[in-house]
Every structure is written in C-alpha cells, then in structure tokens.
Amino acid sequence: MSISVATRTDRFVHPALFYGDREEYLAGTVPFIHAGLAADEPVMVAVPGDNLHQIRTALGVDADRVQLHDMSEAGRNPGRIIPGVLLAFAAAHPGKRVRIIGEPIWAGRTAVEYPACAQHEALINAAFAGRQATILCPYDTSRLDRSWLDDACRTHPVLQKDGAEWASPYYADPVAVAAGFNLPLPDPPAGASTIAIDVPALPAIRRFVTAHAVAAGLHPDRVSDLTLAVNELAANTVRHTAGGGTLAVWTDGTRLICQLTDTGHITNPLAGRLPVPPRQPGSRGLVLVNQLCDLVRVHTRPGATTIRLHMHR
C-alpha cells in the first residue's frame, strides 16, 4: 500500500515524481501544493519557466500563497540551489515543516551541466538530513535521457508515478553517488590564455580576468561577478596550497570559461553547497562562486583540484 508524502511525519522526505505529459505533471504537483497549504506549511515551487506557468495557472488565487521561482534562473548553476534556494527558504521559516517542489533537471539541461545536477540531487539528502522538509522533484519521462531517469532512482529514496508511490530499490548513499560524478574535466583548448596563481600575481589575475571578460562581451555586472569569483578561488589557492596553481581562460561558443587548477583537495562533498554561518571560521569562497557563476564544475582528488567556471555571454 502506498502512503502519500502529504500524510508523512518523517523529518525529511525526498520523492522523485515521474511524469510524461502536462496532465500527469499537474496531477502530481498541484495536489501536493494544496496539501501543504491545508497543513499550514510554507510552500515553494522552483521549476523551469513553462512548468511554472502551468502550476501558477492551475493554482489560481492560491498561487499568491506560494513562493514561486523560475528554476532556469534561480538554479541555472546547480551548485547554488541548495544554499541559495532550498535552505534559504527553510531558514526563512524556522520551526515549521516546509514543502518544496524543485525541478533542477529538465530537457534543456546540457550534458556539461548534468553531472553537477546529479550531484545536487544526491547531496540534497545529506544537506537536509534531519530537517522538517519535503522536496518533490519532477522528472519528465518523455524528454529526459534514460540514464538521467535511472540516476533519479539512485538519488531519491521515494518514487512516484500515476498516483502511486513506492520506496526506490536503487537509492544509494548520497555522498557515494555524488562522488561518482566527480569526473575529470577535459583539458583547456590549445589556444587558452593562462597565468600562474601565486600571492604577488593576485592583482594581475584580476586584471587578466577582467580584460578577457570585457573582450568576450560580458555585461559589466557579469564582468565584476566573474572577476570576484576567480579572485576568491585564486585567494583560496594561495591560502591553502603550497605550490600555487594555474588559471586558464577561453571562450566556447556563447560561454566564457575560467579554469583554476591547484594542488589542493576538497574533502567535504558539501563544500560550496552549504551557507557558512557569519561567525564561523572558514572560507565562504566556493559558496560565493556558486552564486555568481552560471555553472561550476569541480574535479578533486588528493593532490589536485580543478574548478571550472562558466559564464554565458
């Protein structure tokens, strides 16, 4: 017998909703929202634009009681979703169980973005462990890659489809699943511009990034964002490693890409995905970088870390 998440008292519930068309999408999401409103739970919906419009229309006047976000904007970089969207909403409602629909993986996502998306879905389970929250994640079975749907069964303890619900037999340890997407990144192209990272070079690095961002046609605000993001990472390199590092910059179609490589090792799988309390020692650099950039990909292992930043022009 299936048990609706709407009646559960578990501290954290994280189902994947498989849907094949508009009717199945609304049948799985709108009653979930209404149940939360009836239980006086704060409700947030963060889904890509067209689906957001469908939900808003279906809710009618109740849409004013729900916090709505276009996930293609708020979650463009998957690394910013946990701290900047999900945990931010939970923190705004202390002592209350929150109910969220989050759709971070949609048909417009690219293969370059997907590993960060899959890591995000796995690490939600670690970030929200013990919290009073339900996060429902819709997956479009008609348009998403089969392997992406299979991964959803590994990153979600509960699965839903056509009104039925069951425990996922494939759910696995979230940290182990996320580690499986800690993949090596391709080498920069031969024509990439490079500069060494060390303490004396930090001002030159800022000028280097700014010049390339301006030449690539980024808006001035995004030039500032990228320069700040690279500076944060370069400062971490000189602060936490003995051998310095290298920055490479190049353009790829509509993107400007900055890649920093050093000898460090990021051992915390949630690094950059959890807010750092104001008075707690520790670097906020990677959290800030995730908020500023359109995509952040990380490959880390003992003795070597590569962080690649993407900014759309």
Side-chain angles (χ1 to χ4, degrees):
M1 183 176 90
S2 66
I3 302 174
S4 169
V5 293
T7 62
R8 288 242 181 106
T9 57
D10 310 52
R11 288 190 65 81
F12 178 54
V13 185
H14 185 208
L17 168 68
F18 294 119
Y19 70 94
D21 56 31
R22 178 177 180 275
E23 288 70 26
E24 289 182 6
Y25 187 78
L26 295 178
T29 57
V30 174
F32 174 85
I33 295 168
H34 283 149
L37 295 176
D40 195 30
E41 295 176 354
V43 179
M44 180 176 71
V45 175
V47 300
D50 184 58
N51 286 347
L52 186 67
H53 173 72
Q54 291 181 28
I55 288 176
R56 182 188 285 114
T57 301
L59 288 175
V61 295
D62 281 340
D64 293 336
R65 302 170 60 195
V66 178
Q67 189 172 125
L68 303 173
H69 294 283
D70 185 341
M71 186 64 100
S72 64
E73 297 177 4
R76 187 171 196 171
N77 172 24
R80 76 167 67 126
I81 299 173
I82 291 175
V85 181
L86 305 181
L87 285 175
F89 183 70
H93 302 281
K96 302 203 75 172
R97 182 178 192 86
V98 296
R99 181 173 292 234
I100 299 169
I101 298 177
E103 190 170 5
I105 300 175
W106 59 86
R109 285 294 199 189
T110 67
V112 173
E113 296 171 323
Y114 180 71
C117 295
Q119 287 180 318
H120 158 78
E121 284 284 61
L123 293 173
I124 286 176
N125 299 291
F128 274 82
R131 291 178 178 269
Q132 292 280 4
T134 304
I135 302 178
L136 176 72
C137 300
Y139 280 78
D140 187 345
T141 59
S142 69
R143 297 197 293 166
L144 293 178
D145 187 278
R146 178 71 248 180
S147 66
W148 295 10
L149 301 175
D150 291 342
D151 286 337
C153 298
R154 299 195 298 137
T155 57
H156 295 77
V158 179
L159 306 176
Q160 296 180 357
K161 183 173 175 57
D162 296 330
E165 179 180 313
W166 64 98
S168 173
Y170 305 105
Y171 178 69
D173 176 77
V175 172
V177 172
F181 292 95
N182 176 30
L183 303 171
L185 300 170
D187 291 334
S193 299
T194 62
I195 186 172
I197 300 173
D198 54 31
V199 174
L202 289 179
I205 288 169
R206 291 191 291 270
R207 293 192 296 270
F208 178 81
V209 174
T210 297
H212 279 276
V214 170
L218 267 64
H219 185 277
D221 289 344
R222 298 188 41 87
V223 172
S224 298
D225 287 347
L226 182 60
T227 302
L228 176 57
V230 172
N231 184 70
E232 286 291 323
L233 294 181
N236 279 348
T237 292
V238 300
R239 186 180 301 119
H240 298 296
T241 69
T246 302
L247 168 67
V249 180
W250 69 97
T251 56
D252 180 9
T254 61
R255 298 171 298 168
L256 179 65
I257 301 174
C258 296
Q259 177 173 296
L260 292 91
T261 303
D262 63 29
T263 58
H265 180 210
I266 301 173
T267 57
N268 180 359
L270 285 166
R273 297 179 188 263
L274 292 180
V276 178
R279 299 185 182 181
Q280 178 177 310
S283 172
R284 295 170 178 79
L286 197 52
V287 176
L288 178 63
V289 168
N290 271 326
Q291 299 305 312
L292 294 174
C293 297
D294 293 328
L295 176 65
V296 178
R297 289 286 307 278
V298 178
H299 177 240
T300 186
R301 66 186 190 277
T305 290
T306 299
I307 302 178
R308 185 171 288 188
L309 314 180
H310 298 241
M311 294 291 271
H312 291 281
R313 296 193 279 174

